[in-house]
Amino acid sequence: MDRALVFDYDGVLAEIGKDIPLPWVQGVLRELKRKYRLLIASTRSTGFLVEQVPSADAYIGVNGLEVLAGGYLVYPLRALDERRSRDVEELYERLREPCLRVELKKSLLGRALGLGVGWRRCPSKPADVVAVEEESEKRGLFVFKYQSPFIEVYVAETSKAVGLRVARALLGVSGVYFFGDSESDIEVFGEVDHPVFVRNEYNRHLSPPGVVEVWQQDLPAFLKRLL
């Protein structure tokens, strides 16, 4: 079991904007688990990922700031800074526009590690999002900006690629397939044996090099070929 399948969550195992996984996910993952280690690597909170995909062997949550793998819970030291967590919680309270989709990303220990802020339903970028973005940078928080109407704010600089390196070391896996769909996945594509870019209606602007492409609706058939 030294081979692993690593999945982003939103846009891969779930539709963008929907919390629950697609209907085929649990059954196909159970089959794949007979042959591979299964990892979830997402910007979502780790607790959310564990709840939605309980069959995984490891979780890289909050864009790599929290790794649950091999019986260990791992954080970079800067993620444990209480002042930065308080900053994130304070900024979260400023986001009041009803059209916003806001996620407060908490660790399994209950500490705030980041924010996800989307304004796809808003007519334009709300003023409170602009203010939070500027204040985050002023306070030394890490801001990840997407080409789509979405930003993320983290207590420390982070990436799924770094989290995956930690998880791979803990689990002792070598050959890795990675399934991702967004800007936060591009760094990972360059570090794995088999990068798979999952196309959906929201990532037509992206064309990462050196990847295999599969549309999200065709992913179940693609995965069954790996059995």
Side-chain angles (χ1 to χ4, degrees):
M1 296 286 285
D2 63 342
R3 294 184 299 171
L5 305 181
V6 185
F7 299 93
D8 180 27
Y9 188 75
D10 296 282
V12 176
L13 299 182
E15 292 183 27
I16 299 289
K18 303 282 183 69
D19 286 342
I20 61 173
L22 289 160
W24 57 265
V25 167
Q26 307 297 2
V28 171
L29 293 189
R30 278 195 297 270
E31 291 183 59
L32 291 166
K33 193 166 182 177
R34 300 173 193 159
K35 192 172 179 180
Y36 301 92
R37 295 289 187 96
L38 302 182
L39 289 74
I40 310 298
S42 173
T43 63
R44 292 274 201 157
S45 298
T46 310
F48 170 85
L49 300 173
V50 172
E51 181 180 337
Q52 298 299 329
V53 193
S55 58
D57 296 290
Y59 302 86
I60 299 151
V62 200
N63 203 30
L65 282 179
E66 184 173 53
V67 177
L68 176 61
Y72 290 87
L73 189 58
V74 182
Y75 303 91
L77 287 176
R78 293 190 76 186
L80 303 178
D81 187 322
E82 292 186 9
R83 178 189 61 80
R84 289 171 175 268
S85 292
R86 289 195 298 271
D87 283 344
V88 166
E89 290 179 332
E90 181 186 328
L91 292 169
Y92 171 71
E93 294 298 328
R94 298 187 187 186
L95 295 163
R96 295 300 186 186
E97 286 286 344
C99 62
L100 291 175
R101 180 182 172 93
V102 183
E103 178 195 6
L104 178 61
K105 303 169 188 288
K106 288 195 171 185
S107 73
L108 289 170
L109 302 179
R111 180 171 291 176
L113 296 180
L115 292 173
V117 187
W119 59 95
R120 193 181 304 278
R121 297 175 298 180
C122 305
S124 60
K125 190 175 184 178
D128 55 355
V129 175
V130 175
V132 162
E133 186 177 336
E134 292 174 350
E135 185 64 23
S136 297
E137 292 175 339
K138 193 180 299 182
R139 296 189 188 194
L141 300 174
F142 178 61
V143 181
F144 194 102
K145 301 176 184 180
Y146 292 79
Q147 292 183 47
S148 55
F150 190 70
I151 63 166
E152 288 166 331
V153 177
Y154 296 105
V155 294
E157 187 168 355
T158 182
S159 73
K160 294 177 191 175
V162 172
L164 180 55
R165 287 176 217 148
V166 173
R168 289 179 71 168
L170 290 171
L171 297 176
V173 296
S174 51
V176 170
Y177 284 80
F178 177 73
F179 299 83
D181 76 305
S182 75
E183 288 96 327
S184 64
D185 300 315
I186 289 174
E187 183 181 351
V188 187
F189 288 145
E191 297 197 5
V192 298
D193 310 271
H194 306 284
V196 181
F197 181 58
V198 180
R199 281 276 180 204
N200 55 55
E201 62 178 306
Y202 297 106
N203 62 12
R204 296 175 187 270
H205 61 288
L206 295 177
S207 296
V211 299
V212 172
E213 290 195 14
V214 58
W215 279 91
Q216 189 179 25
Q217 63 264 29
D218 299 325
L219 189 55
F222 182 94
L223 290 171
K224 287 181 178 179
R225 292 200 295 270
L226 300 180
L227 290 169

